[in-house]
Amino acid sequence: AVIFWFVLLGPLGPLGAWAYRVTDLVRRRAVFQAGREESDATQIPPLRDAAVSLHGWLAWIPARLTAIGYAVAGHFDAALAAWRAGEPAGTTSENSERLLARVGVAALALEAGEDEDLTARGVRGATAAKQLVFRLLIIWAVIIAAMTLYGWTG
């Protein structure tokens, strides 16, 4: 998301990247503070509410682009089915996180081995996830390089 806002806003890119990171840090800090305090959980401080809402909207487009990338770099049919199967329930930020988790796991298309224990399956899953993210990075590098060559990045 930081790179997305940096590239999208052109000369104002550092401001967009900064805004995304600051809203994320404020959101995380406010949630951490709320977890440490013994106050009523139904009371949401205005700063945390605003940070969660703004961060959710700033993360919405990059999360969907990443999910599309997972589908292209992995098992497309399973990823698309996982995308369609989701139901929105929660904040925009939570929905984006759930979408990425669902689509990412589906794009991996891992099947359990016959004599595979939990540790071996976890290692195999982590390796597959690393490979999926690497393929996604290659895809985005090619897209950004093509945009740069043709002058579409501003």
Side-chain angles (χ1 to χ4, degrees):
V2 172
I3 294 170
F4 171 79
W5 290 111
F6 189 85
V7 170
L8 183 73
L9 295 178
L12 297 176
L15 180 62
W18 177 83
Y20 178 82
R21 283 298 296 150
V22 166
T23 59
D24 184 47
L25 291 172
V26 169
R27 177 185 66 98
R28 288 174 188 249
R29 181 65 180 171
V31 169
F32 176 73
Q33 273 306 101
R36 292 182 67 198
E37 295 174 359
E38 297 288 329
S39 64
D40 184 14
T42 60
Q43 294 178 338
I44 299 176
L47 178 63
R48 180 178 58 191
D49 189 28
V52 167
S53 179
L54 182 58
H55 181 267
W57 288 111
L58 288 174
W60 194 86
I61 294 172
R64 269 98 190 127
L65 289 173
T66 302
I68 291 168
Y70 284 162
V72 170
H75 193 278
F76 188 82
D77 291 334
L80 192 59
W83 188 324
R84 291 180 180 163
E87 67 277 349
T91 65
T92 307
S93 184
E94 290 170 348
N95 290 336
S96 293
E97 289 174 9
R98 287 188 193 121
L99 173 74
L100 287 175
R102 271 193 330 269
V103 172
V105 168
L108 291 175
L110 289 178
E111 295 185 19
E114 290 181 16
D115 293 332
E116 188 175 48
D117 65 345
L118 187 60
T119 304
R121 185 163 191 235
V123 169
R124 189 168 57 89
T127 303
K130 183 182 81 163
Q131 292 169 346
L132 177 70
V133 170
F134 183 74
R135 287 191 305 268
L136 178 59
L137 288 174
I138 295 297
I139 290 169
W140 280 114
V142 169
I143 290 170
I144 291 171
M147 289 172 61
T148 302
L149 286 174
Y150 291 107
W152 293 335
T153 58

